[in-house]
Amino acid sequence: MSDLMEGLGLDLGVVAYLGPPSSYTHQAALEDFGEKSFALEPRVTIQDIFAAVQSGAVTYGVVPFENSTNGSVVYTLDLFADRQSRFTNVYVCGEAYLDVHHCLLGHQSDGLPLDDLLPGDATPTHQSPSPPKPKTQPLTGVRHVKRIYSHPQAFGQCEAFLSTYLKGVERQEVSSTSKAAEIVAADTTGTLAAISSKVAAQVHDLDVLATRIEDRDDNTTRFFILRRASNDQSSIGEEITQPRTKTHRWKTLVNFTIDHHSPGALADALQVFKTYGLNLTSISSRPSRLTPWHYIFFVELEGRRESEGRGDVNQALAQLESITRGWRWHGSWEDRVPRRYN
C-alpha cells in the first residue's frame, strides 16, 4: 500500500487501526502500510476508526470486515449501514488479507500434569450430534483457567478447541484479541486466559498455553482500508483509486433498501446486476432499525464504479435507483484475494 500511494502521488499520513498494539488489525496495517512511511495509531473501537476517517483526523483506517470461518464482522457492517448518516464521506479504497492463527495465552500453572487435566471430547448435542474435533491440544494443563477473554469473532473461530478442552469455562467478549491479552497480562490470580496471537504473547509477556487453536488451517480475515472522500466525490461517487488496467480486477460494495411489502422486490433488485453481467460475490443484511423485520441489504460485486457515469456498474446503479427505496455506494477497490483462493 505504501508503494501504491506514493506511486499515485497521494500524501502519506496517519493510519488508524483497531488496537491495542499487536492486534490482528495492527498486523494487517503493518503489512499493508509499514511504519516508515505512515504513523500507525490504535483506536479502541471500530466506530472510533470510522469517526477518525470521517473527521479527517487520520488519512486511512483499517477495520476487520469478514472472516473465512466465522463470516461478517457485524459491527463493521452496522457502521456501513450508517443509519444516522454520521459517516457519509467514509468509503473503501482497498482491502488486505491476513492468515489468522490463534493461541491460548495466560499464566502457566506449575505442578499441573497435562495428561491428568485434559477433558474428553466435546459433548454431542441435538444441534451438533458429531461435534468437530480440535486440530491441536494444550501445551500445558488448562484446568486452572476460569475465564477466557477475546473478540466474538475469535471465539467463533476456535469452537472445537474450546468445547473440548475448556467447555463450561466463562467467556468474556472484548473489543479485540489484543485487548484480551492486555487484560490477562494484568491478572494477578493466574486464572484468566485470552485467545490472541503469538505477537500479543510477546508484547504482554504471557505464556502460550496452546497454539493454532482455530478450527481451520485456512482461517483468514479480510480487512477494509477506509479513506475520506471529499464532499463532491461523495455526492457524485467518482472513483478515485487507480485507473483501469487490463491486469487489475475490482470489487464494489453497495447497500440498498426495498419495499418489504412488494412481492419480488429483492429479486428485482438483484436481477439488475445480472442484467449488466455483474457477478455478485456476497450478500448480507442488517436490520434497518426503522421498522422491525425490515433490512438493509449489502451486495459485493465484481467491477468498479467509474467517473462520468461510464461502465456496467454505473448503469446498474442507475437502474437500481428506480427499483429500490434507496442505495449507497461504499467504494470500489482492487481485488487482492490471495491466489490460492481463486
Side-chain angles (χ1 to χ4, degrees):
M1 179 61 73
S2 176
D3 293 339
L4 166 62
M5 296 306 172
E6 289 176 341
L8 290 172
L10 302 176
D11 293 334
L12 306 182
V14 179
V15 180
Y17 65 88
L18 181 62
S22 78
S23 68
Y24 291 113
T25 312
H26 186 202
Q27 295 174 45
L30 282 170
E31 286 194 8
D32 228 48
F33 289 94
E35 290 183 301
K36 294 182 179 180
S37 301
F38 295 86
L40 304 185
E41 294 185 356
R43 292 294 190 272
V44 176
T45 66
I46 298 173
Q47 180 174 312
D48 292 339
I49 298 171
F50 272 73
V53 173
Q54 173 65 31
S55 69
V58 301
T59 317
Y60 303 100
V62 182
V63 297
F65 181 72
E66 181 181 23
N67 177 264
S68 60
T69 301
N70 209 46
S72 299
V73 179
V74 294
Y75 306 110
T76 305
L77 271 180
D78 279 338
L79 290 165
F80 279 122
D82 197 18
R83 300 172 183 88
Q84 284 76 47
S85 299
R86 292 179 296 170
F87 309 118
T88 55
N89 296 95
V90 176
Y91 78 102
V92 183
C93 67
E95 66 180 7
Y97 291 81
L98 183 73
D99 292 337
V100 174
H101 300 297
H102 294 299
C103 296
L104 183 70
L105 309 182
H107 305 279
Q108 186 171 335
S109 182
D110 297 331
L112 293 178
L114 181 62
D115 292 343
D116 293 342
L117 298 175
L118 296 183
D121 293 336
T123 303
T125 64
H126 179 72
Q127 292 79 9
S128 181
S130 300
K133 295 183 181 296
K135 304 184 292 80
T136 187
Q137 66 179 34
L139 301 173
T140 182
V142 294
R143 184 170 292 178
H144 64 290
V145 174
K146 304 301 181 186
R147 185 183 305 142
I148 308 169
Y149 289 83
S150 200
H151 189 275
Q153 279 274 336
F155 283 127
Q157 296 162 30
C158 303
E159 193 57 50
F161 179 89
L162 295 175
S163 60
T164 298
Y165 297 113
L166 292 159
K167 54 187 174 186
V169 174
E170 178 186 351
R171 303 179 189 182
Q172 183 68 50
E173 297 180 355
V174 292
S175 59
S176 70
T177 58
S178 56
K179 182 63 176 178
E182 185 180 86
I183 292 171
V184 173
D187 171 41
T188 58
T189 68
T191 62
L192 305 184
I195 298 175
S196 195
S197 65
K198 279 190 175 180
V199 174
Q202 296 166 357
V203 168
H204 296 288
D205 193 27
L206 289 169
D207 295 323
V208 178
L209 308 181
T211 62
R212 299 180 74 98
I213 66 173
E214 65 279 358
D215 293 343
R216 295 182 56 91
D217 289 326
D218 58 1
N219 190 46
T220 304
T221 295
R222 179 163 67 130
F223 300 84
F224 276 166
I225 299 168
L226 308 179
R227 198 172 186 205
R228 187 183 192 278
S230 69
N231 288 330
D232 287 343
Q233 289 163 336
S234 179
S235 62
I236 66 175
E238 277 194 20
E239 177 50 45
I240 55 179
T241 55
Q242 300 180 83
R244 174 186 292 276
T245 71
K246 292 182 179 180
T247 57
H248 289 147
R249 296 185 306 169
W250 299 87
K251 294 178 181 176
T252 293
L253 180 67
V254 177
N255 78 29
F256 58 85
T257 55
I258 60 172
D259 181 354
H260 280 66
H261 299 293
S262 175
L266 178 57
D268 290 342
L270 297 178
Q271 179 64 36
V272 170
F273 300 104
K274 182 178 180 180
T275 298
Y276 288 94
L278 298 171
N279 184 38
L280 300 184
T281 57
S282 71
I283 180 169
S284 306
S285 66
R286 296 298 297 155
S288 69
R289 298 185 185 173
L290 298 175
T291 304
W293 321 122
H294 285 206
Y295 297 91
I296 300 171
F297 296 96
F298 290 84
V299 294
E300 191 173 338
L301 55 109
E302 295 177 347
R304 59 174 291 190
R305 192 177 190 188
E306 301 179 58
S307 60
E308 301 177 2
R310 298 171 300 178
D312 292 333
V313 172
N314 293 67
Q315 294 182 61
L317 294 179
Q319 186 172 339
L320 200 65
E321 179 88 37
S322 63
I323 293 176
T324 63
R325 284 189 164 181
W327 63 272
R328 178 171 168 182
W329 171 80
H330 290 289
S332 298
W333 64 92
E334 184 182 349
D335 182 355
R336 296 179 62 193
V337 65
R339 290 185 178 180
R340 64 182 181 273
Y341 298 134
N342 287 330

